Amino acid sequence: GQNIDQPTEMTATEGAIVQINCTYQTSGFNGLFWYQQHAGEAPTFLSYNVLDGLEEKGRFSSFLSRSKGYSYLLLKELQMKDSASYLCASMDSNYQLIWGAGTKLIIKP
Amino acid sequence: GAVVSQHPSWVICKSGTSVKIECRSLDFQATTMFWYRQFPKQSLMLMATSNEGSKATYEQGVEKDKFLINHASLTLSTLTVTSAHPEDSSFYICSARPPGQGLETQYFGPGTRLLVL
């Protein structure tokens, strides 16, 4: 079956670094996405990895290891506005997104 | 960037009534649109894939007679929840895939929150 696993909730301190992990098993693979979702809002795109390695985009970086079925999202210099749910999604062989349940990130001052 | 709108953003209705949700691509033509449903603290679940000019493809377990999808133009897809019941209360999100870009590209609408009393 298809499965996406990510932690339910994480807590971090403002100004610190946090890494949100995601493991996936899908029928075929066409890339791994990370989205940010604030409560009551639709997801907003953060990153897309289809090749192994680290992609850096400002304070956010995303890593992919296809052989391990593993990705992480790294957030640096955390700000209070980064408090949100972070959704990991894998695109399968039919180009459909298989979504994780999301990781709720709580930022404390 | 590409913009997708949804209307209404909020809807409250009585049990047994039908509710129509619109999804529009504002600055591009979308041959393919997707409808998702998200219950609180759960992941997005794909309900159906809507292709302009043809019938929607529904995911397993989604009743096509209850969730009617019409993709009549390249900029508009509608989802009608027929005879809504309280268990249909959820956050409904559409996304659109523009032509000419990679199949990994989707733009999400802001979502519609449905509450059935």
Side-chain angles (χ1 to χ4, degrees):
Chain A
Q2 308 202 96
N3 194 46
I4 307 288
D5 281 319
Q6 55 181 126
T8 304
E9 186 174 297
M10 298 181 72
T11 302
T13 305
E14 189 177 15
I17 299 173
V18 71
Q19 176 175 311
I20 304 174
N21 296 323
C22 170
T23 57
Y24 64 89
Q25 285 180 301
T26 51
S27 302
F29 180 74
N30 280 298
L32 194 290
F33 294 76
W34 284 96
Y35 285 83
Q36 181 190 61
Q37 187 179 27
H38 285 100
E41 299 180 12
T44 55
F45 172 80
L46 289 178
S47 67
Y48 170 62
N49 294 63
V50 67
L51 300 176
D52 288 350
L54 185 68
E55 297 267 352
E56 297 186 69
K57 194 185 294 185
R59 294 189 300 114
F60 293 3
S61 302
S62 56
F63 172 84
L64 176 68
S65 168
R66 288 174 299 172
S67 62
K68 295 181 179 178
Y70 166 71
S71 172
Y72 68 73
L73 179 69
L74 190 72
L75 293 78
K76 302 177 184 176
E77 300 170 20
L78 286 170
Q79 302 175 8
M80 297 304 292
K81 67 178 183 180
D82 297 330
S83 293
S85 285
Y86 291 86
L87 309 178
C88 172
S90 174
M91 183 163 273
D92 68 12
S93 56
N94 294 319
Y95 290 93
Q96 287 189 359
L97 286 173
I98 309 301
W99 296 83
T103 298
K104 182 179 180 181
L105 178 62
I106 299 169
I107 310 294
K108 295 185 174 179
Chain B
V3 178
V4 176
S5 71
Q6 279 183 243
H7 177 80
S9 55
W10 267 97
V11 57
I12 301 173
C13 69
K14 292 182 179 179
S15 185
T17 60
S18 294
V19 175
K20 179 185 284 187
I21 302 170
E22 294 185 348
C23 176
R24 292 181 185 273
S25 54
L26 298 185
D27 51 2
F28 65 97
Q29 294 182 329
T31 52
T32 303
M33 290 183 171
F34 303 91
W35 287 97
Y36 294 88
R37 181 167 57 180
Q38 185 180 32
F39 293 106
K41 299 184 180 181
Q42 294 187 25
S43 64
L44 277 74
M45 296 298 297
L46 179 65
M47 299 175 68
T49 302
S50 169
N51 295 297
E52 187 270 335
S54 63
K55 291 183 179 179
T57 303
Y58 289 81
E59 295 301 302
Q60 193 172 10
V62 178
E63 299 174 58
K64 61 181 181 181
D65 293 331
K66 179 172 179 64
F67 299 99
L68 302 178
I69 292 173
N70 187 330
H71 194 156
S73 78
L74 285 171
T75 60
L76 174 65
S77 176
T78 60
L79 168 68
T80 301
V81 183
T82 61
S83 187
H85 290 284
E87 58 265 30
D88 298 323
S89 299
S90 186
F91 191 44
Y92 291 85
I93 306 171
C94 74
S95 69
R97 175 181 287 164
Q101 297 192 29
L103 292 176
E104 73 279 4
T105 303
Q106 286 187 48
Y107 299 103
F108 284 87
T112 296
R113 192 161 298 281
L114 170 64
L115 177 62
V116 185
L117 302 177

